Amino acid sequence: MIMNSTKVAVVGSGISGAVCASNLARNGVSVTLFESARGPGGRMSQRREVAEDGKELLFDHGAPFFNANNTEVLGLVREWEAKGLVACWREKFGCFDRVSNKFVDLEQEGLISKRYVGIPGMNSVCRALCHEPGVESKFGVSVGRLEWLEDENLWSLIGLDGQNLGQFKGVVATDKNVVSPRFTSVTGRPPPLDLNLVTELAVKLNDIPVRPCFALMIAFAEPLSSIPFKGFSIKNSEVLSWAHCDSSKPGRSTSSERWVLHSTMEYAQTIIAQTGLQKPSNATLTKVAEELFQELQSMGLNISQPLFKKAHRWGAAFPATSIAREEKCLWDKNKRLAICGDFCVSPDVEGAIVSGIAAASKLTDVLSCL
């Protein structure tokens, strides 16, 4: 049995960290979750924008939906469905070919996994898990350093501002950049975790390739009746990879029609090569929004002028490889450090959930023996 005084820190409130924190808490661990953003979700966060007329617009600008095929994940999804946190998005999707400028293929019924979405936004699951009993969530708190105290056999967490965030028996980190040089090129600071503390894990984490992309959030006063689908992939475009009608998801406001489009990786890489990895300027984002919208307009779909248009950059969010397919997470038993996320299993929401479950299970096992 784990003592309730056993404290574990989880860094990051994306779905991997949130599922891990919830599973640990359900096993009697006292969890403190740290998240640098204002709210939970990571790529499953929901973006709140305001139109010129003052109307609130909500966009799932990262992951548009998720699939669930793994038994453990399906079990969780059923639990979330029962609580009204997720629902099945039952729209038909298509594919648009930029060469012929036509919609080419329809999905075959029965061949496509169900698409699940959070209600009322993709962040609903993370939000609920972060507020479960036994989980204390601290938003707007960035962890600057994870220090291993050899004599006390504990981890000490230090905030970016140098503040002492507490000492913990175990740590779960859910950011693939926790030891990566990429952290430095984005923030100008050394990564939170010293490579020499976890040499074996560091080798695997050193430079995980990523697929950057730009998201375009657009809203229209009237439905785009010329588009026969509420979601479609785009082939043979150098600029756009897919488009989804956010306002067609269950539990969403339909006072405006809202779409989210994602650029191709190649387009994003070209922009990043010109502007660097630092946070993109407003001028860059305005230019990108214009270019992505122009590509949509040039498909001959008779798209009206939007009442809102804004771009967002996902610089290093989507991993292009899986580094722990067997183990499902990276694990240092002696220091009780787990690193989990979609970059461990598969680059999607389901992979992130599987990895979070695995990290919680490793920690629960070792803590129950202490």
Side-chain angles (χ1 to χ4, degrees):
M1 183 58 196
I2 296 174
M3 300 296 291
N4 270 14
S5 57
T6 305
K7 287 165 58 179
V8 167
V10 174
V11 184
S13 72
I15 191 69
S16 202
V19 163
C20 181
S22 159
N23 278 17
L24 285 168
R26 288 180 185 195
N27 280 291
V29 179
S30 168
V31 180
T32 308
L33 186 145
F34 297 97
E35 169 58 62
S36 55
R38 289 190 302 266
R43 265 158 297 159
M44 285 177 82
S45 55
Q46 192 180 46
R47 185 75 169 257
R48 179 177 270 107
E49 295 289 350
V50 179
E52 276 179 14
D53 64 0
K55 245 199 213 106
E56 181 183 68
L57 302 169
L58 297 171
F59 296 94
D60 295 329
H61 61 315
F65 58 82
F66 67 96
N67 307 113
N69 300 302
N70 171 291
T71 329
E72 272 186 295
V73 176
L74 272 170
L76 281 177
V77 170
R78 296 212 172 95
E79 188 184 312
W80 299 336
E81 261 188 306
K83 290 179 178 170
L85 295 171
V86 304
C88 196
W89 187 16
R90 301 182 193 281
E91 292 286 352
K92 278 211 161 56
F93 280 36
C95 174
F96 188 87
D97 182 10
R98 267 307 260 131
V99 175
S100 62
N101 255 9
K102 284 189 175 69
F103 283 100
V104 280
D105 52 355
L106 242 170
E107 291 180 336
Q108 309 254 293
E109 286 290 334
L111 292 183
I112 301 291
S113 305
K114 279 185 175 174
R115 296 186 181 91
Y116 292 99
V117 297
I119 304 274
M122 282 302 279
N123 61 352
S124 64
V125 175
C126 297
R127 173 161 285 134
L129 297 175
C130 289
H131 293 103
E132 281 193 358
V135 181
E136 184 191 357
S137 294
K138 302 192 174 211
F139 297 107
V141 178
S142 297
V143 174
R145 268 201 334 280
L146 301 165
E147 292 188 349
W148 174 247
L149 309 175
E150 191 67 57
D151 296 347
E152 287 92 339
N153 193 22
L154 291 170
W155 286 97
S156 167
L157 268 61
I158 319 284
L160 264 188
D161 50 5
Q163 184 194 354
N164 174 13
L165 300 175
Q167 296 185 349
F168 301 89
K169 266 272 175 13
V171 169
V172 179
T174 64
D175 180 356
K176 59 187 160 302
N177 298 324
V178 68
V179 295
S180 160
R182 191 183 290 117
F183 185 90
T184 310
S185 56
V186 176
T187 63
R189 292 186 307 271
L193 187 58
D194 179 357
L195 288 165
N196 300 318
L197 278 178
V198 286
T199 41
E200 282 173 37
L201 303 194
V203 172
K204 292 184 179 172
L205 275 167
N206 197 10
D207 217 3
I208 297 172
V210 293
R211 299 179 183 278
C213 86
F214 282 91
L216 174 65
M217 300 168 276
I218 39 178
F220 301 90
E222 300 294 324
L224 300 181
S225 50
S226 59
I227 300 181
F229 302 106
K230 294 302 181 195
F232 57 95
S233 55
I234 300 157
K235 61 180 197 183
N236 297 316
S237 165
E238 288 173 9
V239 179
L240 287 176
S241 67
W242 57 252
H244 294 125
C245 179
D246 224 35
S247 49
S248 73
K249 294 175 181 176
R252 303 304 194 270
S253 152
T254 51
S255 59
S256 63
E257 177 149 299
R258 296 175 306 287
W259 285 75
V260 173
L261 293 79
H262 273 206
S263 78
T264 59
M265 175 177 75
E266 293 73 19
Y267 172 84
Q269 283 170 334
T270 307
I271 301 288
I272 290 169
Q274 295 160 6
T275 58
L277 271 175
Q278 279 75 20
K279 195 178 172 192
S281 67
N282 285 341
T284 298
L285 290 174
T286 305
K287 171 185 173 244
V288 166
E290 205 42 64
E291 289 177 355
L292 297 182
F293 184 65
Q294 275 174 355
E295 176 72 358
L296 178 68
Q297 274 189 312
S298 62
M299 292 180 183
L301 294 168
N302 193 16
I303 307 285
S304 53
Q305 274 306 314
L307 54 89
F308 177 87
K309 173 166 97 244
K310 192 171 187 179
H312 169 83
R313 188 188 78 185
W314 293 108
F318 300 93
T321 187
S322 309
I323 59 171
R325 277 173 205 265
E326 296 302 310
E327 310 84 13
K328 313 279 187 256
C329 67
L330 300 184
W331 173 237
D332 183 323
K333 190 177 177 182
N334 296 329
K335 294 191 174 72
R336 299 176 298 282
L337 169 75
I339 296 172
C340 63
D342 58 355
F343 52 92
C344 292
V345 180
S346 58
D348 48 34
V349 172
E350 184 168 27
I353 296 171
V354 167
S355 188
I357 294 171
S361 150
K362 296 269 192 210
L363 266 164
T364 306
D365 288 352
V366 75
L367 292 171
S368 58
C369 303
L370 289 180

